[in-house]
């Protein structure tokens, strides 16, 4: 079962019509602004539209949209009307007033509802709020921007229009916030795959089939699942998911993001170019990142205690950005007390933790489309019948060739 992209377009279009207010029932949602109310069509309700002088009605059945149009008008307006929906929906998607976070659920054999459930994606993280070196931040933003505009370039090269990121580093170093910043920068929905709820390799492919374009496909803690063998998905299944035939056919305009605590013990086949385009290391906090956090959380650009903090970092002590930011939040009413608390934590809990992470960041140009780069080191990253003819636009369609799709390893 693959999601019907046109079903999504029609739904976006119908929810934008002012006539939705005339429906007997509508679903009310809050928008991005606190005083904004968004109306969505309820099930089994009818919404009216006008196009080229013809009256058109839509009925929202369960996972199916039924279009009713007079037979006398059908030949004249049907095709241009559907083209009109396609155009308007694309324009609305460009504005993307509401991103969504999708999570996969255990298969209950109910093909109508699919395997994804969604909630509004409201994570506030942006590249401006991340504790990241400005030059690296600009490289990442430039890479994502180039990818989003590179459809024709990828197709001219005979490549799938997708991008793959690996984010690796200790817990609390900002990998999840970075994913949220990517989604907000691109205005892409997020599909967060929980491998513990995936039954086998085919099930993982099925989840990709039901995802949509303009999306981030995220698998967190991939190294833990592979090492503990706590999932029914095999290494071969992961490799096929990353760049197999199915991904080549259904993975257009997607950014895949994989997170790990470390990559030293991961099979090199997973890390090769083509499967992973961009490697980003998320180390423990250093003094540069600390100053960014102090500016964001405490409003401090400088302080008399900064030299002492810098000296402690130079001696090899470190904490994760999450640990330092929590100390700052707890003491935000007194910046001096916050800094003293951080100093104490570095001296007691962080002694020596940063010694293995001190190093210079290097950027390697690999020569892939859109300027692939690989970063290493401490300064890298910190943080959707009679009178009338009936047309049905269903939310999904069956793919009879699924079992015939091979894997590319």
């Amino acid at each position: 079962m693959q999601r019907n992209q046109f079903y999504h377009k029609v739904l976006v279009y119908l929810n934008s019509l002012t006539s939705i207010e005339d429906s007997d029932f509508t679903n009310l949602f809050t928008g991005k602004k606190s005083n904004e109310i968004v109306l969505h069509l309820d099930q089994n309700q009818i919404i009216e539209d006008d196009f080229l002088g013809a009256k058109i009605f839509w009925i929202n059945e369960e996972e199916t949209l039924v279009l009713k149009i007079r037979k006398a008008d059908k030949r004249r307006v049907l095709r241009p009307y559907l083209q009109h929906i396609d155009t308007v929906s694309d324009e609305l998607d460009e504005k993307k007033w509401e991103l969504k976070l999708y999570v996969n659920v255990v298969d209950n054999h109910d093909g109508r509802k699919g395997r994804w459930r969604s909630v509004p994606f409201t994570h506030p993280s942006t590249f401006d709020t991340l504790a990241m070196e400005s030059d690296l931040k600009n490289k990442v933003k430039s890479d994502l921007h180039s990818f989003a505009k590179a459809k024709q370039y990828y197709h001219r090269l005979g490549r799938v229009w997708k991008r793959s990121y690996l984010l690796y580093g200790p817990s609390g170093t900002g990998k999840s916030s970075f994913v949220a910043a990517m989604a907000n920068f691109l205005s892409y929905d997020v599909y967060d795959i929980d491998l513990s709820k995936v039954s086998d390799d085919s099930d993982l492919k099925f989840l990709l089939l039901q995802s949509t374009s303009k999306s981030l496909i995220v698998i967190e803690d991939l190294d833990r699942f592979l090492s503990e063998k706590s999932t029914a998905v095999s290494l071969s299944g992961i490799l096929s998911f990353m760049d197999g035939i199915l991904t080549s056919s259904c993975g257009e305009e997607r950014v895949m993001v994989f997170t790990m605590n470390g990559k030293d013990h991961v099979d090199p086949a997973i890390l090769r170019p083509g499967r992973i385009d961009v490697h980003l290391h998320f180390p423990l906090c250093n003094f540069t990142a600390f100053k960014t956090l102090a500016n964001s959380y405490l409003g401090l650009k400088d302080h008399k205690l900064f030299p002492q903090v810098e000296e402690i970092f130079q001696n090899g002590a470190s904490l994760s950005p999450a640990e330092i930011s929590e100390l700052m939040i707890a003491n935000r009413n007194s910046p001096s007390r916050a800094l003293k608390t951080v100093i104490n934590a570095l001296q007691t809990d962080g002694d020596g933790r940063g010694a293995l992470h001190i190093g210079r960041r290097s950027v390697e140009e690999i020569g892939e489309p859109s300027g692939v780069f690989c970063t290493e080191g401490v300064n890298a990253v910190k943080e959707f019948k009679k009178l009338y003819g009936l047309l049905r636009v269903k939310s999904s369609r069956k793919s009879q060739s699924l079992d015939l799709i091979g894997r590319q390893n």
Side-chain angles (χ1 to χ4, degrees), residues 100-332:
K100 290 188 176 182
L101 170 63
Y102 292 85
V103 295
N104 58 304
V105 296
V106 176
D107 188 7
N108 58 6
H109 305 291
D110 186 355
R112 295 174 300 174
K113 292 186 176 181
R115 294 289 305 283
W116 293 106
R117 301 293 182 270
S118 68
V119 295
F121 183 77
T122 58
H123 199 296
S125 178
T126 67
F127 283 115
D128 291 334
T129 63
L130 294 178
M132 175 191 292
E133 277 188 335
S134 58
D135 62 335
L136 180 59
K137 185 184 303 186
N138 290 334
K139 283 182 178 292
V140 173
K141 291 166 64 176
S142 176
D143 184 69
L144 292 173
H145 179 75
S146 297
F147 165 77
K149 303 296 182 182
K151 178 179 181 179
Q152 297 303 321
Y153 178 69
Y154 274 78
H155 288 182
R156 180 168 61 83
L157 296 177
R159 297 176 61 94
V160 183
W161 186 24
K162 73 175 183 68
R163 199 85 168 128
S164 297
Y165 277 71
L166 171 64
L167 317 180
Y168 67 100
S171 299
T173 50
K175 298 186 291 292
S176 296
S177 295
F178 185 84
V179 172
M182 294 174 73
N184 286 323
F185 180 78
L186 292 169
S187 290
Y188 277 16
D189 292 329
V190 177
Y191 287 82
D192 187 6
I193 297 179
D194 182 351
L195 289 177
S196 67
K197 296 179 180 178
V198 180
S199 59
D200 52 33
D201 295 350
S202 295
D203 195 30
L204 184 59
K205 292 180 179 180
F206 185 78
L207 290 172
L208 180 61
L209 278 171
Q210 288 202 325
S211 66
T212 61
S213 59
K214 292 183 180 295
S215 61
L216 267 66
I217 311 295
V218 181
I219 296 182
E220 296 186 283
D221 298 325
L222 179 58
D223 55 331
R224 177 172 60 85
F225 280 101
L226 292 175
S227 63
E228 296 177 358
K229 302 186 184 301
S230 55
T231 173
V233 179
S234 67
L235 173 61
S236 177
I238 294 293
L239 296 177
S240 180
F241 175 81
M242 296 173 81
D243 71 345
I245 295 296
L246 183 63
T247 303
S248 302
S249 303
C250 307
E252 283 276 282
E253 202 172 4
R254 288 166 175 81
V255 176
M256 291 188 172
V257 183
F258 305 93
T259 72
M260 301 180 183
N261 286 330
K263 62 177 184 176
D264 294 339
H265 304 293
V266 175
D267 193 309
I270 287 181
L271 306 176
R272 72 161 175 80
R275 292 198 174 111
I276 299 294
D277 302 312
V278 181
H279 296 236
L280 288 175
H281 183 212
F282 288 69
L284 295 175
C285 202
N286 68 347
F287 183 62
T288 300
F290 164 81
K291 289 193 295 183
T292 302
L293 294 173
N295 185 35
S296 298
Y297 287 85
L298 303 174
L300 295 177
K301 294 186 179 296
D302 198 5
H303 193 277
K304 63 182 181 181
L305 292 176
F306 274 17
Q308 184 179 352
V309 176
E310 182 176 17
E311 182 180 358
I312 296 174
F313 276 117
Q314 290 175 344
N315 290 333
S318 188
L319 295 169
S320 71
E323 291 172 314
I324 292 178
S325 62
E326 285 303 319
L327 293 174
M328 291 179 174
I329 290 174
N331 297 278
R332 62 187 180 275

Side-chain angles (χ1 to χ4, degrees), residues 49-108:
D49 196 12
D50 294 290
F51 186 76
L52 298 179
K55 291 286 187 183
I56 298 171
F57 299 91
W58 287 94
I59 305 174
N60 185 21
E61 297 182 353
E62 185 176 356
E63 292 294 306
T64 301
L65 295 169
V66 181
L67 168 62
K68 301 180 69 176
I69 183 172
R70 292 178 61 93
K71 291 183 178 179
D73 296 325
K74 180 179 177 181
R75 183 179 296 273
R76 177 175 64 90
V77 305
L78 179 58
R79 186 174 295 276
Y81 178 61
L82 297 179
Q83 292 172 343
H84 166 72
I85 290 177
D86 187 75
T87 300
V88 173
S89 176
D90 285 344
E91 293 174 352
L92 292 170
D93 269 339
E94 284 292 325
K95 299 177 182 178
K96 207 71 172 185
W97 66 87
E98 183 184 81
L99 301 180
K100 290 188 176 182
L101 170 63
Y102 292 85
V103 295
N104 58 304
V105 296
V106 176
D107 188 7
N108 58 6

